[in-house]
Amino acid sequence: MSFTFLKKLPKPETIKQEYALSKKAAQVKKERDRIIREIITGESDKFLLIIGPCSADNEESVCDYISRLSRVQEKVADRLAIVPRIYTNKPRTTGEGYKGIAHQPDPEKRPDMLAGLIAMRKMHIRALEECGLSSADEMLYPENWPYVEDLLSYVAIGARSVEDQHHRLTVSGFDVPAGMKNPTSGDFSVMLNSVYASQHPHHFAYRGHEVSTAGNPLAHVVLRGAVNKRGVCIPNYHYEDLERLIQMYGEMDLKNPAVIIDTNHSNSNKQYGQQVRIAKEIMHNRKIEPNIKKIVKGLMIESYIEPGCQKVGGHVYGQSITDPCLGWKESEELIYHIAEMNQ
């Protein structure tokens, strides 16, 4: 094989013991899990807001951002459950570019997977210990899940991973909500099939073990827009898209029908400022149509301290080094608007 084996990585149990979560923080996460689970199952009328940087590239600025979210969460706790995006793995369309802190703890230095696994875990712990907010991450690599499984309250499966059997089967063993995004083609059937697979039990090989899972009834869909064969972005958050999704959900034997809408990516044509308009349209549609209100459980928003983005090495504090994000001022105003619309 053309593999060069550089080093053997520690087992998840070793990393988890060395960088352990306090009992107090574990109890906070347990309560947060309950709140988020009840939103997905419909037991709670609160609205889920998964918000934060495109990629969590720097612990200091990311945790500064999350501390701001924490203060806002206290003010809207009766209407919203805010889950910070701490996305430590960054999917790349061509395989080139910064792949997230799990690969490169320092974006300007060479990859270091061991240091990356530690940095990934430390950032999630810090957000939970200091700010009281358990977070969301994208499961780009199913093998990495055990390193953070005790820290996350929400997991996203990306548009390029959602058709992969290994991702679907791994999600079937989760006990937290998992959002299955529509593929880049926009095919709703593929997305719903991934939810079906994730909600059912399976028997497979995982990290050198033969395992079985019970199925994850909290698996649900995420609409992130599509790209047609001409490379044009096609949004799928409009009223008509949601009506179609409701009909398709009803035709399948799925538990806890739920959709989270990603306001960026192909829904915004990567025009990050449009997230404000898109979020407001979705909240309006929830107001006027009971079926849409019942199924739309939350939003995903890309947001950071400074608006826009920069290249790696730009050193603008709190600005994305991957996709552009809303700045804090606009984000805070939008959060309050969403809370007001969810009365």
Side-chain angles (χ1 to χ4, degrees):
M1 296 191 300
S2 60
F3 286 84
T4 300
F5 291 84
L6 303 175
K7 69 175 77 167
K8 187 174 179 61
L9 296 173
K11 293 181 178 180
E13 294 77 13
T14 303
I15 299 288
K16 287 162 74 174
Q17 288 175 3
E18 189 171 353
Y19 301 92
L21 187 64
S22 70
K23 290 183 178 179
K24 181 180 178 181
Q27 191 60 40
V28 170
K29 181 190 178 295
K30 184 178 179 180
E31 176 61 15
R32 292 262 301 165
D33 287 352
R34 180 191 65 79
I35 292 169
I36 295 166
R37 180 176 63 250
E38 290 181 355
I39 293 173
I40 298 297
T41 61
E43 298 169 73
S44 170
D45 290 330
K46 289 183 181 180
F47 195 68
L48 193 59
L49 191 58
I50 301 162
I51 183 169
C54 173
S55 59
D57 61 289
N58 178 283
E59 182 177 319
E60 291 304 317
S61 56
V62 168
C63 289
D64 178 356
Y65 173 87
I66 294 170
S67 71
R68 303 179 190 207
L69 281 183
S70 180
R71 292 191 289 271
V72 175
Q73 172 69 96
E74 292 177 4
K75 298 177 183 178
V76 299
D78 59 327
R79 286 165 282 174
L80 300 183
I82 297 176
V83 181
R85 281 175 56 113
I86 304 183
Y87 280 28
T88 56
N89 298 278
K90 176 65 181 173
R92 310 304 308 197
T93 303
T94 64
E96 295 294 321
Y98 175 65
K99 297 182 179 69
I101 203 167
H103 274 258
Q104 290 172 272
D106 186 333
E108 298 178 57
K109 294 182 180 178
R110 293 177 60 84
D112 185 332
M113 299 302 295
L114 174 55
L117 290 173
I118 293 170
M120 175 174 71
R121 185 165 176 84
K122 286 176 65 178
M123 194 185 308
H124 283 293
I125 289 176
R126 184 173 171 185
L128 192 48
E129 299 271 8
E130 293 184 4
C131 305
L133 295 180
S134 53
S135 49
D137 202 344
E138 178 173 348
M139 189 182 72
L140 187 57
Y141 307 106
E143 296 81 2
N144 283 356
W145 164 250
Y147 290 98
V148 288
E149 55 86 18
D150 58 328
L151 306 177
L152 301 181
S153 285
Y154 187 94
V155 179
I157 306 301
R160 297 161 190 82
S161 302
V162 75
E163 297 186 66
D164 176 60
Q165 180 157 301
H166 193 37
H167 282 80
R168 293 176 173 190
L169 301 191
T170 304
V171 169
S172 74
F174 289 2
D175 58 0
V176 295
M180 317 297 285
K181 289 196 171 187
N182 64 256
T184 53
S185 67
D187 192 321
F188 280 12
S189 296
V190 168
M191 174 179 64
L192 288 165
N193 286 338
S194 75
V195 173
Y196 185 92
S198 301
Q199 288 193 355
H200 286 75
H202 295 284
H203 193 118
F204 59 104
Y206 182 71
R207 291 187 59 88
H209 294 271
E210 182 178 1
V211 302
S212 64
T213 58
N216 181 0
L218 302 177
H220 58 276
V221 305
V222 178
L223 299 182
R224 50 87 72 198
V227 180
N228 69 15
K229 63 182 182 181
R230 295 181 176 85
V232 177
C233 288
I234 309 296
N236 58 13
Y237 62 85
H238 293 305
Y239 185 100
E240 294 78 10
D241 299 301
L242 296 174
E243 288 285 295
R244 174 170 164 255
L245 178 62
I246 290 168
Q247 179 183 350
M248 293 180 71
Y249 239 124
E251 294 170 355
M252 296 187 70
D253 181 25
L254 296 173
K255 301 172 184 176
N256 304 313
V259 57
I260 305 295
I261 300 177
D262 182 343
T263 61
N264 211 16
H265 297 100
S266 294
N267 270 332
S268 70
N269 195 23
K270 292 194 175 181
Q271 303 299 307
Y272 70 94
Q274 293 297 314
Q275 293 183 99
V276 175
R277 176 189 61 78
I278 292 167
K280 289 181 177 180
E281 177 181 328
I282 294 161
M283 298 309 294
H284 171 74
N285 286 337
R286 289 181 83 247
K287 275 282 188 184
I288 64 173
E289 176 50 61
N291 288 332
I292 289 178
K293 182 175 183 179
K294 184 177 179 181
I295 200 169
V296 177
K297 307 289 188 178
L299 299 176
M300 287 184 176
I301 297 173
E302 291 197 315
S303 158
Y304 211 173
I305 296 171
E306 297 295 332
C309 65
Q310 62 182 320
K311 293 182 179 180
V312 172
H315 301 295
V316 177
Y317 181 80
Q319 188 176 56
S320 175
I321 61 170
T322 47
D323 290 348
C325 301
L326 285 178
W328 175 250
K329 180 177 180 295
E330 298 84 0
S331 301
E332 185 177 20
E333 292 173 355
L334 182 57
I335 293 171
Y336 289 131
H337 175 82
I338 292 169
E340 183 180 344
M341 291 289 285
N342 194 46
Q343 290 180 333

